[in-house]
Amino acid sequence: MDIWEAQMNARQEKKAHALVTIVQTRGAAPRGAGSKMLVYRDGSAEGTIGGGVLEKKITADAVACIASGESKLGEYVNAEGDDDPGSGVVTAFIEPERGAPELVVCGAGHVGACVIRLASALGYRVTAVDTRDTDITAENVKAADSFIRAEDFYSGVKSVGAGPQAYYMVSTYGHEQDTEALAAVLEKDAAYAGMLGSPAKIRTVFAKLREKGFSEEQLAAVHTPVGLDIGGETPEEVAFSILAEMQMTRYGGTGRPMKEIR
């Protein structure tokens, strides 16, 4: 695949990636200036800048740049060590694009479906996870970027390839399923973890999670009851309050009226 086509596809799919360009070479370099490679967060790539140890070094730095969001201009020796005077040296520019914020919706019921649609409209890359047959969930997950039909919510959420600091919303169809999903979420590096539920449901789920060894600090970090107190009770209104809280977390907002801040 052409590198520009691969980058265009990555942007359309809201996938984080980094464009690597060789800008200068000295000595024995496998490819010349202008060679390009597109690297994804998991270390996979489109194209090549020559392979071998050189490409391995630059790929590792590209993955780090994706995580930090910072570009890098660096020199790389085409050898295992950096002190071999006979080895070629290349200068590479790494330009990351972190892609869209990632949201994993655990449970594609009424509220989950509304969260998926609204989050997609706000530019999130949405993955839906559910254990029910696709004839039940098909319409509700149409707006998601990907769908995982799982045997159980714990393994389903664990299998999601979302990067660090993704957003997670638990809205399954039962206490046991909520417990499974939230247990998996708490084992992730999440920017936001929310769970839909009544106070009684929250007490039940949290009691089960304590039995599994999760700490009070971990449980206190969960946004539940989820969402901001802005009123409304329809699935669409509940989803709106949930995304408002996610956006507040994402941008470090206060949730206060703007006229009180000015």
Side-chain angles (χ1 to χ4, degrees), residues 151-198:
E151 289 298 317
D152 61 83
F153 277 99
Y154 181 82
S155 62
V157 175
K158 292 291 282 186
S159 71
V160 175
Q165 295 297 292
Y167 295 70
Y168 294 85
M169 172 59 204
V170 176
S171 55
T172 78
Y173 49 83
H175 290 28
E176 180 181 348
Q177 290 76 21
D178 281 339
T179 304
E180 291 175 356
L182 192 53
V185 171
L186 291 175
E187 293 175 1
K188 300 270 189 176
D189 177 15
Y192 174 98
M195 185 179 74
L196 186 69
S198 66

Side-chain angles (χ1 to χ4, degrees), residues 36-53:
K36 298 180 185 297
M37 174 176 70
L38 198 71
V39 178
Y40 300 106
R41 185 175 46 226
D42 62 0
S44 60
E46 300 278 0
T48 180
I49 52 172
V53 64

